[in-house]
């Protein structure tokens, strides 16, 4: 039930829908007072959630900072890579289709190649509510083997559907790896905006992991070029949906004691 409700929440947390609702209200309202209220509210929402500068500042506040690869002195026993980096339903299915969070997998591959991690755990099942359920872990594992990583160094969790299930399944995999040796030195790889909730989930699951954040949405230094923060952007409005979902998800997970 929680999984289905979370998908409904994703649909609701879209500023674009809020703006459309307000402008529809302004068009359909019989009272001049309510027409004005709906219109002003819709205009304010449009200006706020289409502003690149405000989105950048929100990400700068929320995202977990990046870690320099060179700063990792001792190799970790395992890096756990959270799903959300590819589209396993996209055709043709004989290859990996990386999306906007592809740095999760590509940075993990780089860490392995640089000798910073010894093994990889790919945690990514299907998040589909209806229809065919195809997880990310299998095609991602196939990609890594094609990149020359030995099969014994890649473990897959193809059944978990959200961050909490990722953490529980990964904890079980680490236990199966060999007790203390398997659980020592865990690096958690996920996007910067998702790292806070992920770390909380893994801590609750009994996994002590160091963060390695990827795919940062905002520059650390920011930008004051007028055109980058004065001109509204439709893409910015869509990006707000991702961040709002993460904020609400973090609150819900903490209330339920999952993170």
């Amino acid at each position: 039930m929680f999984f289905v409700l979370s998908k409904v929440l994703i649909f609701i947390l879209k500023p674009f829908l809020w703006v459309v609702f307000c402008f529809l209200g302004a068009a359909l309202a019989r009272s001049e007072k309510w027409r004005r209220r709906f219109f002003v509210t819709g205009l304010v929402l449009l200006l706020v959630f289409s502003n690149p500068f405000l989105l950048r500042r929100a990400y700068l506040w929320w995202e977990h900072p990046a870690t320099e690869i060179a700063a990792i002195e001792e190799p970790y026993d395992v890096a756990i890579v959270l799903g959300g980096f590819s589209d396993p339903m996209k055709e043709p299915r004989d290859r990996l289709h990386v999306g906007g969070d592809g740095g999760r997998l590509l940075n993990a591959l780089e860490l392995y190649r640089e000798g910073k991690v010894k093994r990889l755990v790919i945690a990514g099942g299907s998040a589909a509510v209806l229809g065919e359920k195809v997880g990310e872990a299998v095609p991602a594992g196939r990609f890594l083997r094609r990149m020359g990583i030995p099969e014994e160094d890649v473990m897959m969790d193809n059944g978990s559907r959200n961050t909490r299930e990722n953490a529980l399944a990964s904890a079980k995999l680490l236990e199966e790896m060999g007790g203390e040796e398997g659980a020592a030195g865990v690096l958690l790889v996920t996007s910067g905006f998702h790292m806070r909730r992920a770390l909380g989930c893994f801590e609750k699951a009994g996994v002590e992991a160091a963060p390695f954040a990827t795919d940062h949405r905002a520059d650390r230094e920011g930008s004051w070029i007028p055109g980058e923060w004065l001109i509204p952007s439709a893409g910015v409005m869509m990006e707000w949906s991702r961040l709002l979902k993460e904020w609400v998800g973090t609150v819900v997970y903490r209330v339920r004691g999952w993170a």
Side-chain angles (χ1 to χ4, degrees):
M1 178 60 71
F2 175 80
F3 180 71
V4 175
L5 290 176
S6 68
K7 298 304 174 184
V8 174
L9 187 64
I10 293 175
F11 178 78
I12 296 174
L13 292 175
K14 293 183 181 295
F16 174 77
L17 293 180
W18 305 345
V19 172
V20 170
F21 174 80
C22 287
F23 286 153
L24 282 176
L28 299 176
R30 297 181 179 180
S31 166
E32 178 63 29
K33 180 180 69 174
W34 280 104
R35 278 198 297 269
R36 185 168 54 253
R37 287 180 177 178
F38 274 121
F39 180 80
V40 172
T41 301
L43 184 60
V44 170
L45 289 174
L46 180 61
L47 292 175
V48 169
F49 287 108
S50 65
N51 187 292
F53 176 78
L54 294 178
L55 177 66
R56 183 180 293 114
R57 301 312 301 177
Y59 268 127
L60 284 171
W61 167 71
W62 180 255
E63 285 184 315
H64 195 285
T67 301
E68 295 285 342
I69 293 178
I72 302 177
E73 298 178 355
E74 295 295 328
Y76 286 87
D77 292 306
V78 60
I80 301 174
V81 186
L82 300 191
F85 51 77
S86 65
D87 183 358
M89 295 294 292
K90 191 172 182 178
E91 299 288 349
R93 296 190 188 179
D94 62 346
R95 67 206 67 180
L96 185 69
H97 299 279
V98 178
D101 291 297
R104 300 184 188 189
L105 183 64
L106 298 180
N107 288 171
L109 173 60
E110 188 172 8
L111 288 169
Y112 180 88
R113 287 296 191 188
E114 290 293 310
K116 302 298 184 179
V117 297
K118 299 176 182 177
R119 303 171 80 178
L120 300 175
V121 172
I122 310 299
S126 173
V129 177
L130 302 174
E132 185 180 2
K133 300 183 185 299
V134 180
E136 290 183 80
V138 171
R142 181 182 60 211
F143 167 79
L144 292 174
R145 290 192 294 273
R146 287 174 175 174
M147 294 298 102
I149 298 184
E151 186 172 355
E152 60 269 21
D153 287 349
V154 180
M155 291 157 287
M156 294 176 289
D157 157 33
N158 203 48
S160 57
R161 302 172 298 173
N162 55 40
T163 309
R164 177 175 181 263
E165 292 182 5
N166 287 159
L168 295 175
S170 296
K172 185 177 180 180
L173 280 175
L174 291 174
E175 185 178 355
E176 294 172 354
M177 283 172 59
E180 295 183 359
E181 180 182 357
V186 177
L187 191 66
L188 182 60
V189 182
T190 189
S191 302
F193 78 92
H194 182 56
M195 183 60 78
R196 296 195 192 196
R197 179 155 57 114
L199 283 173
C201 286
F202 275 78
E203 182 179 351
K204 287 290 185 178
V207 178
E208 184 178 350
F212 189 89
T214 68
D215 302 293
H216 291 85
R217 262 67 181 180
D219 301 326
R220 291 296 97 188
E221 298 179 357
S223 173
W224 290 95
I225 300 174
E228 293 187 12
W229 60 274
L230 284 176
I231 301 175
S233 168
V236 166
M237 183 170 289
M238 301 307 294
E239 189 66 34
W240 266 109
S241 299
R242 182 196 304 268
L243 190 54
L244 290 170
K245 169 184 172 291
E246 188 62 29
W247 286 348
V248 173
T250 300
V251 171
V252 172
Y253 270 48
R254 288 178 179 175
V255 169
R256 295 181 67 99
W258 292 352

Coordinates of all heavy atoms in Angstrom, one line a residue, residues 61-130:
W61 N 21.6 23.9 -0.7 CA 21.3 23.7 0.7 C 21.1 22.2 1.0 O 21.5 21.7 2.0 CB 20.0 24.5 1.1 CG 19.5 24.1 2.4 CD1 20.0 24.4 3.6 CD2 18.3 23.4 2.6 NE1 19.2 23.8 4.6 CE2 18.2 23.2 4.0 CE3 17.3 22.9 1.8 CZ2 17.1 22.6 4.6 CZ3 16.2 22.2 2.4 CH2 16.1 22.0 3.8
W62 N 20.4 21.5 0.1 CA 20.0 20.2 0.4 C 21.0 19.1 0.0 O 21.1 18.1 0.7 CB 18.6 19.9 -0.3 CG 18.1 18.5 -0.1 CD1 18.1 17.4 -0.9 CD2 17.5 18.0 1.1 NE1 17.5 16.3 -0.4 CE2 17.2 16.7 0.9 CE3 17.2 18.6 2.4 CZ2 16.6 15.9 1.9 CZ3 16.6 17.8 3.4 CH2 16.3 16.5 3.1
E63 N 21.6 19.2 -1.1 CA 22.5 18.2 -1.6 C 23.7 17.9 -0.7 O 24.3 18.8 -0.2 CB 23.0 18.5 -3.0 CG 22.0 18.4 -4.1 CD 22.6 18.6 -5.5 OE1 23.3 19.6 -5.6 OE2 22.3 17.8 -6.4
H64 N 24.0 16.6 -0.6 CA 25.2 16.2 0.1 C 26.4 16.5 -0.7 O 26.4 16.3 -1.9 CB 25.2 14.7 0.4 CG 26.1 14.2 1.4 ND1 27.5 14.1 1.2 CD2 25.9 13.8 2.7 CE1 28.1 13.7 2.3 NE2 27.2 13.5 3.2
P65 N 27.4 17.1 -0.1 CA 28.6 17.5 -0.9 C 29.3 16.3 -1.5 O 29.3 15.2 -1.0 CB 29.5 18.2 0.2 CG 29.0 17.7 1.5 CD 27.6 17.4 1.3
A66 N 30.0 16.6 -2.6 CA 30.8 15.6 -3.3 C 32.1 15.2 -2.6 O 32.6 16.0 -1.8 CB 31.1 16.0 -4.7
T67 N 32.5 14.0 -2.8 CA 33.8 13.5 -2.3 C 34.8 13.3 -3.4 O 34.5 12.7 -4.4 CB 33.6 12.2 -1.6 OG1 32.7 12.3 -0.5 CG2 34.9 11.6 -1.0
E68 N 36.0 13.9 -3.2 CA 37.0 13.7 -4.2 C 37.5 12.3 -4.3 O 37.7 11.7 -3.2 CB 38.2 14.6 -3.9 CG 37.9 16.1 -4.0 CD 37.8 16.6 -5.5 OE1 38.3 15.8 -6.4 OE2 37.2 17.7 -5.7
I69 N 37.6 11.7 -5.5 CA 38.1 10.3 -5.6 C 39.5 10.2 -4.9 O 39.8 9.2 -4.2 CB 38.1 9.9 -7.0 CG1 36.7 9.8 -7.6 CG2 38.8 8.5 -7.2 CD1 36.6 9.4 -9.1
A70 N 40.3 11.2 -5.1 CA 41.7 11.1 -4.5 C 41.7 11.1 -3.0 O 42.7 10.7 -2.4 CB 42.5 12.3 -5.1
A71 N 40.6 11.6 -2.4 CA 40.5 11.6 -1.0 C 40.3 10.2 -0.3 O 40.4 10.1 0.9 CB 39.4 12.6 -0.5
I72 N 39.9 9.3 -1.2 CA 39.7 7.9 -0.7 C 41.1 7.2 -0.6 O 41.6 6.8 -1.7 CB 38.7 7.1 -1.6 CG1 37.4 7.8 -1.6 CG2 38.5 5.7 -1.1 CD1 36.4 7.2 -2.6
E73 N 41.6 7.1 0.5 CA 43.0 6.5 0.6 C 43.0 5.0 0.7 O 43.7 4.4 0.0 CB 43.6 7.1 1.9 CG 43.8 8.6 1.8 CD 44.4 9.2 3.1 OE1 44.7 8.4 4.0 OE2 44.7 10.4 3.1
E74 N 42.1 4.4 1.5 CA 42.0 3.0 1.7 C 40.8 2.5 0.9 O 39.7 3.0 1.0 CB 41.9 2.6 3.1 CG 43.1 2.9 4.0 CD 44.4 2.1 3.5 OE1 44.2 1.0 3.1 OE2 45.5 2.7 3.7
P75 N 41.0 1.4 0.1 CA 39.9 0.9 -0.7 C 38.8 0.4 0.2 O 39.0 -0.3 1.2 CB 40.5 -0.1 -1.6 CG 41.7 -0.6 -0.9 CD 42.2 0.6 -0.2
Y76 N 37.5 0.6 -0.2 CA 36.4 0.1 0.5 C 36.1 -1.4 0.0 O 36.4 -1.7 -1.2 CB 35.1 0.9 0.2 CG 35.1 2.2 0.9 CD1 35.7 3.4 0.4 CD2 34.5 2.3 2.2 CE1 35.7 4.6 1.1 CE2 34.5 3.5 2.9 CZ 35.1 4.7 2.3 OH 35.1 5.8 3.0
D77 N 35.6 -2.2 0.9 CA 35.3 -3.6 0.5 C 34.2 -3.7 -0.5 O 34.2 -4.5 -1.4 CB 34.9 -4.4 1.7 CG 36.1 -4.6 2.7 OD1 37.2 -5.1 2.2 OD2 36.0 -4.2 3.8
V78 N 33.2 -2.7 -0.4 CA 32.1 -2.8 -1.3 C 31.5 -1.4 -1.5 O 31.5 -0.6 -0.6 CB 31.0 -3.8 -0.8 CG1 30.5 -3.4 0.5 CG2 29.9 -3.9 -1.8
A79 N 31.0 -1.1 -2.7 CA 30.3 0.1 -3.0 C 28.9 -0.3 -3.4 O 28.7 -1.2 -4.2 CB 30.9 0.9 -4.1
I80 N 27.9 0.2 -2.6 CA 26.5 -0.1 -2.9 C 25.9 1.0 -3.8 O 25.9 2.2 -3.4 CB 25.7 -0.2 -1.6 CG1 26.2 -1.3 -0.7 CG2 24.2 -0.4 -1.9 CD1 25.6 -1.4 0.6
V81 N 25.5 0.7 -5.0 CA 25.0 1.7 -6.0 C 23.5 1.6 -6.0 O 22.9 0.5 -6.4 CB 25.6 1.4 -7.4 CG1 25.2 2.5 -8.3 CG2 27.1 1.2 -7.3
L82 N 22.8 2.7 -5.7 CA 21.4 2.7 -5.7 C 20.8 2.9 -7.1 O 21.4 3.7 -7.8 CB 20.8 3.7 -4.7 CG 21.2 3.6 -3.2 CD1 20.4 4.5 -2.3 CD2 21.1 2.1 -2.7
G83 N 19.7 2.2 -7.4 CA 19.1 2.4 -8.7 C 18.5 3.7 -8.9 O 18.5 4.6 -8.0
G84 N 17.9 3.9 -10.1 CA 17.4 5.2 -10.5 C 18.3 5.9 -11.5 O 18.0 7.0 -11.9
F85 N 19.2 5.2 -12.1 CA 20.2 5.7 -13.0 C 19.9 5.3 -14.5 O 20.6 5.8 -15.4 CB 21.6 5.3 -12.7 CG 21.8 3.8 -12.4 CD1 21.9 2.9 -13.5 CD2 21.9 3.3 -11.2 CE1 22.0 1.6 -13.3 CE2 22.0 2.0 -10.9 CZ 22.1 1.1 -12.0
S86 N 18.9 4.5 -14.7 CA 18.7 4.0 -16.1 C 17.2 3.6 -16.3 O 16.4 3.6 -15.3 CB 19.6 2.7 -16.4 OG 19.2 1.6 -15.5
D87 N 16.9 3.4 -17.5 CA 15.5 3.0 -17.9 C 15.6 1.6 -18.5 O 15.9 1.4 -19.7 CB 15.0 4.0 -18.9 CG 13.5 3.7 -19.3 OD1 13.0 2.7 -18.8 OD2 12.9 4.4 -20.1
P88 N 15.3 0.6 -17.7 CA 15.3 -0.8 -18.2 C 14.2 -1.2 -19.1 O 14.3 -2.2 -19.8 CB 15.2 -1.6 -16.9 CG 14.4 -0.8 -15.9 CD 14.9 0.6 -16.2
M89 N 13.2 -0.3 -19.3 CA 12.1 -0.6 -20.2 C 12.3 -0.1 -21.6 O 11.6 -0.4 -22.5 CB 10.8 0.0 -19.6 CG 10.3 -0.6 -18.3 SD 9.9 -2.3 -18.5 CE 8.4 -2.2 -19.5
K90 N 13.3 0.7 -21.7 CA 13.6 1.3 -23.0 C 14.2 0.3 -24.0 O 15.0 -0.5 -23.7 CB 14.6 2.5 -22.9 CG 14.7 3.4 -24.1 CD 15.5 4.6 -23.8 CE 15.6 5.6 -25.0 NZ 16.4 6.8 -24.7
E91 N 13.7 0.5 -25.3 CA 14.2 -0.4 -26.3 C 15.3 0.2 -27.1 O 15.4 1.4 -27.2 CB 13.0 -0.7 -27.3 CG 11.8 -1.4 -26.7 CD 12.1 -2.9 -26.3 OE1 13.2 -3.4 -26.8 OE2 11.3 -3.5 -25.6
P92 N 16.2 -0.6 -27.6 CA 16.3 -2.1 -27.5 C 16.9 -2.4 -26.1 O 17.7 -1.6 -25.6 CB 17.2 -2.5 -28.6 CG 18.1 -1.3 -28.8 CD 17.2 -0.1 -28.6
R93 N 16.6 -3.6 -25.6 CA 17.0 -4.0 -24.3 C 18.3 -4.7 -24.2 O 18.6 -5.3 -23.2 CB 15.9 -4.8 -23.6 CG 14.6 -4.0 -23.4 CD 13.6 -4.8 -22.6 NE 12.3 -4.1 -22.5 CZ 11.3 -4.6 -21.9 NH1 11.4 -5.7 -21.2 NH2 10.1 -3.9 -21.9
D94 N 19.0 -4.7 -25.3 CA 20.3 -5.4 -25.3 C 21.5 -4.5 -24.8 O 22.6 -4.8 -24.9 CB 20.6 -5.9 -26.7 CG 20.8 -4.8 -27.7 OD1 20.4 -3.6 -27.4 OD2 21.3 -5.0 -28.8
R95 N 21.1 -3.3 -24.3 CA 22.1 -2.4 -23.8 C 21.5 -1.6 -22.7 O 20.3 -1.6 -22.4 CB 22.5 -1.4 -25.0 CG 21.4 -0.4 -25.4 CD 21.6 0.0 -26.8 NE 21.4 -1.1 -27.7 CZ 21.5 -1.0 -29.1 NH1 21.8 0.1 -29.6 NH2 21.3 -2.1 -29.8
L96 N 22.4 -0.8 -22.0 CA 22.0 0.0 -20.9 C 21.7 1.4 -21.3 O 22.4 2.1 -22.0 CB 23.1 0.0 -19.8 CG 22.8 0.8 -18.5 CD1 21.8 0.0 -17.7 CD2 24.1 1.0 -17.7
H97 N 20.5 1.9 -20.9 CA 20.1 3.3 -21.3 C 20.2 4.1 -20.0 O 19.3 4.1 -19.1 CB 18.6 3.2 -21.8 CG 18.5 2.4 -23.0 ND1 18.8 2.9 -24.3 CD2 18.0 1.2 -23.2 CE1 18.5 2.0 -25.2 NE2 18.1 0.9 -24.6
V98 N 21.2 4.9 -19.9 CA 21.5 5.7 -18.7 C 20.7 7.0 -18.8 O 20.6 7.6 -19.8 CB 23.0 6.0 -18.6 CG1 23.3 6.9 -17.4 CG2 23.8 4.7 -18.5
G99 N 20.2 7.4 -17.6 CA 19.4 8.6 -17.5 C 20.1 9.7 -16.8 O 21.4 9.7 -16.7
G100 N 19.4 10.7 -16.2 CA 19.9 11.8 -15.6 C 20.8 11.6 -14.3 O 21.6 12.4 -13.9
D101 N 20.6 10.4 -13.7 CA 21.4 10.1 -12.5 C 22.4 9.0 -12.9 O 22.8 8.2 -12.0 CB 20.5 9.6 -11.4 CG 19.6 10.8 -10.9 OD1 20.2 11.7 -10.3 OD2 18.4 10.7 -11.0
G102 N 22.8 9.0 -14.1 CA 23.8 7.9 -14.6 C 25.1 8.0 -13.9 O 25.9 7.0 -13.9
G103 N 25.4 9.1 -13.2 CA 26.7 9.2 -12.5 C 26.8 8.1 -11.4 O 27.9 7.8 -11.0
R104 N 25.7 7.7 -10.9 CA 25.7 6.7 -9.8 C 26.5 5.4 -10.3 O 27.4 5.0 -9.6 CB 24.3 6.3 -9.4 CG 23.4 7.4 -8.9 CD 22.0 6.9 -8.5 NE 21.1 8.0 -8.1 CZ 19.9 7.8 -7.6 NH1 19.5 6.6 -7.3 NH2 19.1 8.9 -7.3
L105 N 26.1 5.0 -11.4 CA 26.8 3.7 -12.0 C 28.1 4.1 -12.5 O 29.1 3.3 -12.3 CB 25.9 3.1 -13.0 CG 26.4 1.8 -13.6 CD1 26.5 0.7 -12.5 CD2 25.6 1.3 -14.7
L106 N 28.2 5.1 -13.3 CA 29.5 5.4 -14.0 C 30.6 5.8 -13.0 O 31.8 5.4 -13.1 CB 29.3 6.6 -15.0 CG 28.3 6.3 -16.1 CD1 28.2 7.5 -17.0 CD2 28.8 5.0 -16.9
N107 N 30.2 6.6 -11.9 CA 31.2 6.9 -10.9 C 31.6 5.6 -10.1 O 32.8 5.5 -9.7 CB 30.7 7.9 -9.9 CG 30.6 9.3 -10.6 OD1 30.0 10.2 -10.0 ND2 31.1 9.5 -11.8
A108 N 30.7 4.7 -9.9 CA 31.0 3.5 -9.2 C 32.0 2.7 -10.1 O 33.0 2.0 -9.5 CB 29.8 2.7 -8.9
L109 N 31.8 2.6 -11.4 CA 32.7 1.9 -12.3 C 34.1 2.6 -12.2 O 35.1 1.9 -12.2 CB 32.1 2.0 -13.7 CG 33.1 1.5 -14.8 CD1 33.4 0.0 -14.6 CD2 32.4 1.7 -16.2
E110 N 34.1 3.9 -12.2 CA 35.4 4.6 -12.1 C 36.1 4.3 -10.8 O 37.3 4.1 -10.7 CB 35.2 6.1 -12.2 CG 36.5 6.9 -12.3 CD 36.2 8.4 -12.7 OE1 35.0 8.8 -12.7 OE2 37.2 9.1 -12.9
L111 N 35.3 4.3 -9.7 CA 35.9 3.9 -8.4 C 36.5 2.5 -8.4 O 37.6 2.3 -7.8 CB 34.9 4.0 -7.3 CG 34.4 5.4 -6.9 CD1 33.2 5.4 -6.1 CD2 35.5 6.2 -6.2
Y112 N 35.8 1.6 -9.0 CA 36.4 0.2 -9.1 C 37.6 0.2 -9.9 O 38.6 -0.4 -9.5 CB 35.3 -0.7 -9.7 CG 35.8 -2.1 -9.9 CD1 35.6 -3.0 -8.8 CD2 36.4 -2.6 -11.0 CE1 36.0 -4.4 -8.9 CE2 36.8 -3.9 -11.2 CZ 36.6 -4.8 -10.1 OH 37.0 -6.1 -10.2
R113 N 37.6 0.9 -11.1 CA 38.8 0.9 -11.9 C 40.0 1.5 -11.3 O 41.2 1.2 -11.5 CB 38.5 1.6 -13.2 CG 37.6 0.8 -14.2 CD 38.3 -0.4 -14.7 NE 37.5 -1.1 -15.7 CZ 37.9 -2.3 -16.2 NH1 38.9 -2.9 -15.7 NH2 37.2 -2.8 -17.2
E114 N 39.7 2.5 -10.4 CA 40.8 3.2 -9.7 C 41.3 2.5 -8.5 O 42.2 2.9 -7.8 CB 40.3 4.6 -9.3 CG 40.2 5.6 -10.5 CD 41.5 5.9 -11.2 OE1 42.4 6.3 -10.4 OE2 41.6 5.8 -12.4
G115 N 40.7 1.3 -8.2 CA 41.1 0.5 -7.0 C 40.6 1.1 -5.7 O 41.1 0.8 -4.6
K116 N 39.5 2.0 -5.8 CA 39.0 2.6 -4.5 C 37.9 1.7 -3.9 O 37.6 1.9 -2.7 CB 38.4 3.9 -4.9 CG 39.4 4.9 -5.5 CD 40.5 5.2 -4.6 CE 41.5 6.2 -5.2 NZ 42.6 6.6 -4.3
V117 N 37.3 0.8 -4.7 CA 36.4 -0.2 -4.1 C 36.7 -1.6 -4.7 O 37.2 -1.7 -5.8 CB 34.9 0.1 -4.4 CG1 34.5 1.4 -3.7 CG2 34.7 0.2 -5.9
K118 N 36.5 -2.6 -3.9 CA 36.8 -4.0 -4.4 C 35.7 -4.7 -5.1 O 35.9 -5.5 -6.0 CB 37.3 -4.8 -3.2 CG 38.5 -4.3 -2.5 CD 38.9 -5.1 -1.2 CE 40.1 -4.5 -0.5 NZ 40.4 -5.3 0.7
R119 N 34.4 -4.4 -4.6 CA 33.3 -5.1 -5.2 C 32.1 -4.1 -5.3 O 32.1 -3.1 -4.6 CB 32.9 -6.3 -4.3 CG 34.0 -7.3 -4.1 CD 33.6 -8.4 -3.1 NE 32.7 -9.4 -3.7 CZ 32.3 -10.4 -3.0 NH1 32.6 -10.6 -1.7 NH2 31.5 -11.3 -3.6
L120 N 31.1 -4.4 -6.1 CA 30.0 -3.5 -6.3 C 28.7 -4.3 -6.1 O 28.6 -5.4 -6.5 CB 30.0 -3.0 -7.8 CG 31.2 -2.2 -8.3 CD1 31.0 -1.9 -9.8 CD2 31.3 -0.9 -7.5
V121 N 27.8 -3.6 -5.4 CA 26.4 -4.1 -5.2 C 25.5 -3.2 -6.0 O 25.5 -2.0 -5.7 CB 26.0 -4.2 -3.7 CG1 24.5 -4.5 -3.6 CG2 26.9 -5.2 -3.0
I122 N 24.7 -3.7 -6.9 CA 23.8 -2.9 -7.7 C 22.4 -3.1 -7.1 O 21.9 -4.2 -7.2 CB 23.8 -3.2 -9.2 CG1 25.2 -3.2 -9.7 CG2 22.9 -2.2 -9.9 CD1 25.9 -1.9 -9.6
A123 N 21.8 -2.1 -6.4 CA 20.5 -2.2 -5.8 C 19.5 -1.5 -6.6 O 19.4 -0.3 -6.5 CB 20.6 -1.7 -4.4
G124 N 18.7 -2.2 -7.4 CA 17.7 -1.6 -8.2 C 16.7 -2.5 -8.8 O 17.0 -3.1 -9.9
G125 N 15.6 -2.7 -8.2 CA 14.5 -3.5 -8.8 C 13.6 -2.6 -9.6 O 13.9 -1.5 -10.0
S126 N 12.4 -3.1 -9.8 CA 11.4 -2.3 -10.6 C 10.5 -1.5 -9.7 O 10.0 -1.9 -8.7 CB 10.5 -3.3 -11.4 OG 9.5 -2.6 -12.1
A127 N 10.3 -0.2 -10.2 CA 9.4 0.7 -9.4 C 8.1 0.8 -10.1 O 7.3 1.7 -9.7 CB 10.1 2.1 -9.3
A128 N 7.8 -0.1 -11.1 CA 6.5 0.0 -11.8 C 5.4 -0.5 -10.9 O 5.5 -1.5 -10.2 CB 6.6 -0.8 -13.1
V129 N 4.2 0.2 -11.0 CA 3.1 -0.3 -10.2 C 2.3 -1.3 -11.1 O 1.8 -2.3 -10.6 CB 2.2 0.9 -9.9 CG1 0.9 0.5 -9.2 CG2 2.9 1.9 -9.0
L130 N 2.1 -1.0 -12.4 CA 1.4 -1.8 -13.3 C 2.3 -2.3 -14.4 O 3.3 -1.7 -14.7 CB 0.2 -1.1 -13.8 CG -0.8 -0.6 -12.8 CD1 -1.9 0.3 -13.5 CD2 -1.5 -1.7 -12.0

